[in-house]
């Protein structure tokens, strides 16, 4: 799967273990997301975005926050001067769901202009 079809999808409620993705599907979806990695425990995906200054970092955080609210799926963010780490996981499934990859692709689309 490529980035564009993922980014064009929207999140849907996913509750229960039946929505958790297996390792093969996670690997397949990660291949469409440049620079994203699975965490060591395999329960989240993460990427650290670099910016030239704090002002641009905050703009990115606001854009991600707006998109996350629209999708009703929220990441963990860790920011500092010139960078923001974005981590997606679906707590209701105890790991990764398709929503995490949709949102990661939407984050990539925010920067693809």
């Amino acid at each position: 799967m490529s980035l564009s079809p993922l980014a064009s999808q929207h999140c849907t409620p996913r509750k229960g273990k039946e929505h958790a993705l297996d390792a093969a599907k996670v690997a397949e979806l990660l291949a469409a997301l440049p620079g994203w990695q699975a965490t060591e425990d395999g329960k989240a995906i993460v990427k650290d975005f670099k910016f030239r200054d704090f002002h641009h970092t905050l703009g990115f955080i606001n854009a991600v926050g707006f998109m996350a609210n629209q999708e009703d799926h929220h990441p963990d963010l860790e920011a500092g001067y010139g960078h923001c780490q974005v981590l997606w996981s679906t707590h209701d499934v105890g790991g990764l769901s398709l929503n995490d990859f949709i949102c990661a692709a939407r984050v990539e689309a925010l920067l693809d202009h």
Side-chain angles (χ1 to χ4, degrees):
M1 180 173 283
S2 70
L3 184 64
S4 185
L6 271 174
S8 67
Q9 295 180 50
H10 293 281
C11 294
T12 59
R14 300 180 198 276
K15 295 180 186 271
K17 298 286 185 198
E18 68 273 10
H19 293 288
L21 301 176
D22 63 27
K25 188 65 175 177
V26 168
E28 175 190 334
L29 291 168
L30 274 176
L33 297 168
W36 288 85
Q37 298 177 8
T39 57
E40 195 171 307
D41 64 6
K43 294 183 184 245
I45 55 173
V46 64
K47 182 175 179 179
D48 194 50
F49 293 87
K50 306 290 185 203
F51 301 96
R52 63 181 158 190
D53 55 33
F54 195 67
H55 174 78
H56 285 88
T57 303
L58 284 177
F60 173 76
I61 290 168
N62 286 329
V64 170
F66 182 82
M67 179 276 298
N69 280 332
Q70 294 290 335
E71 294 300 319
D72 196 25
H73 192 63
H74 304 92
D76 290 338
L77 301 172
E78 190 174 302
Y81 188 90
H83 83 97
C84 179
Q85 184 182 77
V86 180
L87 183 140
W88 293 101
S89 182
T90 305
H91 303 289
D92 288 337
V93 305
L96 289 163
S97 75
L98 186 58
N99 287 349
D100 302 308
F101 292 91
I102 290 169
C103 287
R106 288 177 157 268
V107 169
E108 291 295 325
L110 291 171
L111 299 172
D112 187 29
H113 51 85

